[in-house]
Amino acid sequence: MFPLPLFFFCAGYLYRRIGLREKIVKIIRSYYFPFIVIGLISIGCYPIWRALGITESETLMQLAKRVLGVFAFRIDGFFIQPMWFLCFFAVCQLEYWAFDALIDRQKYVLRLLVAFVIGIAGMGLVHFFGKGVFYVFLSLTMIPLIEIGGGYHRFTDYLASAQTTGQYRRKMPLVCIGCFTMMAALILFTDKEIDLSKCSFFGGIGFYPVILVGISFCVSVSMMVMGNKHMPGIYNILRLAGKYSFWIMCFHVSVFKIIDGIAGLLYHCDLMVLQRLLWSFPMLRCVYFAAGLIIPSLIGMGIESWSRKRRLKRNGC
């Protein structure tokens, strides 16, 4: 329900104002190039997908169309559905750059009001016209969350003093319980949930309120964990998951489908079963969860280590 909105909240917290040219270069280097590389790798692994029996046979022309689709920033590779987020986030970054450049940062209340006007306008555009080309309409709905994340710096500055930090952390359990109760009531007593692609919750009226409750809950839990010296294990797990979240997002579906292929060979399942998303065997949830976290994290560690050695070699160290 909250992973994507929470990600944009964090993006606002970490946002740094730079020029348009630098922003475009950063988007190409950080989002477009990784998208192409991972998409082409997924297509290059086509013989593996066929050997595992989790995809249908395709001609060279069909594979060539997939390659062109990847270069056009479309998720036309094999099992890279979560990669749509890179295009979505890149467009949202450009839109927020324009918003940030137009309105003075000192006028925070005005910025927040304008951000919500833009977000609500984006909800209307999504409702009538869909997500838009390259998610241009859908990304408008995330502008308020990025702005709130940017404003969260003020709150962390307020907590910097020892008195307010200790006082606030003692209240964290109450905040968590309140947020959790509100979310549970909304989920249990209605037959609806947040659908990001349609901005729907109570006809759209509850979209932002429910998301903000969820973000408050997540922030409260994080402050409790980070401030508790008796929970180093949980802290380290969350730290590693956050550090390698990009690789987890990129590769977890591919890992799931490899598990499906291996399990399918053992259980002699047909293609219809193996093509289910996200997984084909609910009884293996723990295996999916562990492998979906560990294997992509190991890939991220390997790439990070290789990049570090390459950088040291280039600097003559």
Side-chain angles (χ1 to χ4, degrees):
M1 181 176 287
F2 304 111
L4 282 180
L6 184 64
F7 186 90
F8 282 93
F9 172 82
C10 296
Y13 184 79
L14 300 172
Y15 184 83
R16 181 172 62 90
R17 178 177 282 183
I18 56 178
L20 179 59
R21 182 178 178 180
E22 188 179 353
K23 171 63 70 175
I24 293 174
V25 170
K26 182 180 179 181
I27 286 173
I28 293 173
R29 185 179 63 246
S30 302
Y31 309 127
Y32 183 62
F33 282 167
F35 182 91
I36 290 176
V37 171
I38 294 171
L40 293 180
I41 289 174
S42 75
I43 296 172
C45 291
Y46 169 72
I48 298 176
W49 310 133
R50 283 295 300 144
L52 292 173
I54 56 178
T55 188
E56 298 176 348
S57 178
E58 295 197 5
T59 64
L60 286 176
M61 184 61 69
Q62 289 173 314
L63 292 175
K65 287 182 178 179
R66 284 183 177 271
V67 171
L68 292 175
V70 168
F71 277 97
F73 226 160
R74 297 201 303 264
I75 51 171
D76 287 352
F78 291 99
F79 311 119
I80 61 168
Q81 287 82 354
M83 298 291 289
W84 74 274
F85 178 76
L86 291 184
C87 178
F88 176 42
F89 188 63
V91 173
C92 194
Q93 285 275 301
L94 286 174
E95 291 177 346
Y96 185 77
W97 180 92
F99 167 83
D100 184 54
L102 289 172
I103 305 178
D104 186 359
R105 285 192 170 185
Q106 300 301 319
K107 301 177 180 178
Y108 182 67
V109 175
L110 175 63
R111 285 173 61 95
L112 198 59
L113 288 174
V114 174
F116 271 102
V117 169
I118 292 173
I120 293 170
M123 291 173 61
L125 291 170
V126 170
H127 178 76
F128 289 106
F129 304 108
K131 296 185 286 289
V133 179
F134 293 116
Y135 312 100
V136 66
F137 297 150
L138 182 61
S139 58
L140 291 174
T141 64
M142 295 294 105
I143 299 296
L145 303 181
I146 299 178
E147 181 60 20
I148 291 173
Y152 185 65
H153 274 293
R154 297 189 179 190
F155 183 63
T156 54
D157 291 341
Y158 170 74
L159 292 177
S161 64
Q163 296 85 0
T164 52
T165 301
Q167 181 182 5
Y168 190 79
R169 279 180 177 155
R170 285 194 293 270
K171 295 179 180 179
M172 282 293 98
L174 295 177
V175 176
C176 290
I177 292 171
C179 293
F180 182 79
T181 303
M182 290 180 66
M183 288 191 296
L186 289 167
I187 294 170
L188 295 175
F189 298 107
T190 69
D191 57 351
K192 301 180 180 181
E193 62 177 350
I194 289 179
D195 185 343
L196 180 62
S197 64
K198 299 178 182 177
C199 303
S200 64
F201 198 96
F202 292 121
I205 297 174
F207 183 70
Y208 286 119
V210 174
I211 283 178
L212 293 176
V213 169
I215 289 176
S216 300
F217 176 74
C218 294
V219 169
S220 302
V221 171
S222 71
M223 292 186 68
M224 288 175 57
V225 172
M226 301 306 175
N228 194 328
K229 298 180 180 179
H230 303 291
M231 304 171 69
I234 295 178
Y235 170 80
N236 289 329
I237 291 172
L238 292 176
R239 182 179 61 83
L240 288 173
K243 183 177 181 180
Y244 298 108
S245 58
F246 174 80
W247 302 107
I248 293 170
M249 180 195 72
C250 293
F251 290 114
H252 74 277
V253 174
S254 297
V255 172
F256 290 173
K257 300 320 292 182
I258 290 173
I259 294 172
D260 284 348
I262 295 172
L265 293 175
L266 295 175
Y267 292 108
H268 306 289
C269 296
D270 58 25
L271 185 63
M272 292 296 293
V273 173
L274 297 178
Q275 285 186 329
R276 294 172 184 166
L277 287 178
L278 289 168
W279 51 58
S280 303
F281 303 95
M283 71 286 293
L284 299 176
R285 282 192 185 92
C286 292
V287 177
Y288 290 117
F289 180 79
L293 286 177
I294 295 172
I295 294 177
S297 295
L298 290 175
I299 293 173
M301 289 179 188
I303 294 174
E304 187 180 73
S305 176
W306 174 80
S307 299
R308 190 185 305 114
K309 291 178 180 177
R310 186 168 175 266
R311 189 164 53 250
L312 291 173
K313 186 178 179 180
R314 188 171 59 245
N315 294 334
C317 298

